[in-house]
Amino acid sequence: MRCRGPGQWREYRLGSQVVPLYMPEKGPEKGSKEPVSRVVLPLTEVVHKTTKSLAAKNALPRLTEAVATLVKEPDSPNTGRIREERFRTVLEEVASQVLDPEELQAIFPEKGGM
């Protein structure tokens, strides 16, 4: 239970690393007539699939280094938080260097033009 702070904090733990994140922005309201133009997997699923795929190819140290660099350069210098989109981009960049296009498409379907 939170007893202090604004409640606008979220963090993702990747091994021994902690990635402080901004809260996601509100999506379209229920009942909205806006069409969904792309598929976006939840962040936890994207991170899980990425780490498992990279671990299978012994490339997890690349992800660890990229996340360490990301944490050192936060979007908010006061709080040290990072935007989720930027975290996803780093995950995708590291995965694209190691994984096959089919494996990458399974993790990041929003880039496939669905």
Side-chain angles (χ1 to χ4, degrees):
M1 184 180 281
R2 178 178 54 82
C3 60
R4 292 190 195 156
Q8 295 296 313
W9 190 274
R10 188 174 75 152
E11 58 187 36
Y12 196 85
R13 295 181 180 269
L14 184 64
S16 62
Q17 295 177 313
V18 177
V19 181
L21 298 169
Y22 279 100
M23 295 295 291
E25 300 205 6
K26 302 270 183 193
E29 297 295 324
K30 288 185 179 180
S32 173
K33 301 295 181 192
E34 293 181 30
V36 178
S37 60
R38 61 188 178 119
V39 176
V40 178
L41 296 176
L43 181 64
T44 54
E45 188 173 347
V46 170
V47 175
H48 174 74
K49 286 182 175 183
T50 304
T51 54
K52 291 298 179 186
S53 298
L54 292 175
K57 298 199 178 210
N58 295 324
L60 208 51
R62 285 186 184 191
L63 181 61
T64 305
E65 291 171 12
V67 169
T69 303
L70 179 69
V71 171
K72 288 179 185 175
E73 301 168 355
D75 292 333
S76 172
N78 295 335
T79 61
R81 294 183 288 176
I82 297 164
R83 301 222 178 267
E84 183 176 317
E85 298 82 25
R86 189 168 164 222
F87 186 42
R88 284 179 185 264
T89 303
V90 167
L91 292 172
E92 185 174 5
E93 287 173 359
V94 172
S96 66
Q97 295 171 2
V98 178
L99 302 178
D100 298 328
E102 296 83 26
E103 294 172 313
L104 194 62
Q105 179 67 28
I107 298 171
F108 299 98
E110 66 267 12
K111 300 295 181 183
M114 292 183 110

